[in-house]
Amino acid sequence: MTLASLVARTSAWFDLHARDLPWREPACTPWGVLVSEVMLQQTPVVRVEPRWRDWMTRWPTPAALADAPTSEVLRAWGGLGYPRRALRLQECARVLVAQHAGELPQGEAVLRTLPGVGAYTAAAVTAFAHGRRAVVLDTNVRRVLGRTLRAEALPAPHLTVVETRAADAVAPADDGAAARWAAASMELGALVCTARNPRCDACPVADLCAWRAAGYPADAHAARRRVQGWSGTDRQLRGATMRLLREAHGPVPRDTVEARLTALIGDSDPVRVDAVLAGLVTDGLAVAAGPGHLGLPA
């Protein structure tokens, strides 16, 4: 297999089958792309798209979000999960206003200095917002490259140096072609080369795939993967608390919050409940609002 064939076929497939997503429209600003990338972290497109549209209507620029009440930002985030992402977005907006004239700067190095922007997000914004070459490696791209190049059923739990070097070797040198490849390989992983039940019959590079040629070997990293449930976890308790605070018209009695969490746990565990609520306060997601009450930050 030649890497050029992998890129060319995947990119041509993308031209025909790419989903019509609002953050891919030519009129979408770099800020809109950044918001989409933050929202899409560990969250499926079907849940993100309506929330993104509402968010961009309310806060189409960093300046608009920077001036918004944090309580409204958290309410607008809704049930997307990991609400600290919303706080980081607002922090990012304030830094953009204070240090970059309200515009998203170009270049991965400077992007990574912004709150909430790590290596992946900086690369994605560089490719999708600015049309420049970047090695964009989300789970979908890692799976496509692992299967086609190394006959790996699924990528390792954590990104490896080998993967990064291989991805860099595949990405075209030309800015436009590299950005198109980044989007195309991501889309192929999301729609065709899925983790479960991949649609090899619809894959434009099936005959180039090392994993298929090897007879679909099993996941070599299966023993290293942790699958955490949801029911009864601290994440569920944090989410339930945030939902109560978002839906309330004012501060919520702490007794009400504790009763809700105790019902979810199935038994009284005041130490754990206290730890969950203290964690939300420490993370800036909740505040003490008068004696015996909790609320969203102002």
Side-chain angles (χ1 to χ4, degrees):
M1 176 185 69
T2 66
L3 299 182
S5 296
L6 175 64
V7 171
R9 289 203 210 168
T10 304
S11 298
W13 170 87
F14 179 71
D15 291 342
L16 296 174
H17 299 283
R19 288 170 291 182
D20 184 18
L21 300 175
W23 46 85
R24 287 178 175 165
E25 295 176 1
C28 183
T29 63
W31 169 246
V33 173
L34 174 63
V35 171
S36 75
E37 288 299 333
V38 173
M39 287 185 169
L40 286 164
Q41 293 167 11
Q42 303 182 67
T43 310
V45 167
V46 68
R47 292 179 58 201
V48 167
E49 184 172 355
R51 194 71 60 183
W52 182 92
R53 291 183 183 277
D54 177 66
W55 188 283
M56 294 305 298
T57 297
R58 299 178 68 175
W59 304 303
T61 65
L65 182 63
D67 289 339
T70 300
S71 58
E72 290 307 307
V73 171
L74 290 171
R75 286 191 175 96
W77 190 261
L80 285 181
Y82 301 100
R84 277 179 291 183
R85 292 181 291 167
L87 298 184
R88 298 294 86 78
L89 259 179
Q90 187 170 44
E91 291 174 15
C92 179
R94 289 169 175 163
V95 169
L96 291 175
V97 170
Q99 300 179 17
H100 299 282
E103 301 292 335
L104 208 61
Q106 296 195 27
E108 290 182 67
V110 66
L111 285 169
R112 289 183 67 174
T113 67
L114 300 173
V117 177
Y120 165 77
T121 303
V125 169
T126 296
F128 305 144
H130 298 138
R132 294 172 57 184
R133 186 184 188 275
V135 179
V136 183
L137 278 172
D138 78 338
T139 300
N140 290 312
V141 179
R142 293 178 64 206
R143 187 167 57 252
V144 168
L145 293 178
R147 286 175 176 173
T148 56
L149 302 182
R150 297 182 296 278
E152 295 175 349
L154 294 171
H158 302 289
L159 182 65
T160 66
V161 173
V162 170
E163 286 182 88
T164 303
R165 289 175 177 168
D168 186 53
V170 174
D174 175 76
D175 280 337
R180 183 166 164 246
W181 156 251
S185 54
M186 187 178 296
E187 193 79 336
L188 186 66
L191 300 183
V192 175
C193 192
T194 54
R196 298 181 180 180
N197 303 315
R199 299 168 50 223
C200 297
D201 58 327
C203 181
V205 294
D207 62 316
L208 304 179
C209 180
W211 184 55
R212 181 171 180 265
Y216 304 108
D219 177 15
H221 309 287
R224 297 170 55 198
R225 303 187 193 281
R226 292 190 308 161
V227 179
Q228 184 182 29
W230 168 254
S231 180
T233 63
D234 284 359
R235 278 190 58 212
Q236 185 192 27
L237 303 186
R238 285 168 62 96
T241 303
M242 291 303 299
R243 186 162 55 252
L244 272 177
L245 300 183
R246 288 196 310 270
E247 294 173 353
H249 296 293
V252 179
R254 186 182 174 102
D255 289 348
T256 300
V257 179
E258 291 175 349
R260 174 69 63 88
L261 301 193
T262 298
L264 289 174
I265 295 171
D267 195 6
S268 178
D269 192 345
V271 173
R272 184 179 176 199
V273 169
D274 284 346
V276 167
L277 299 184
L280 290 173
V281 172
T282 299
D283 291 342
L285 294 168
V287 295
H293 287 68
L294 287 175
L296 294 175

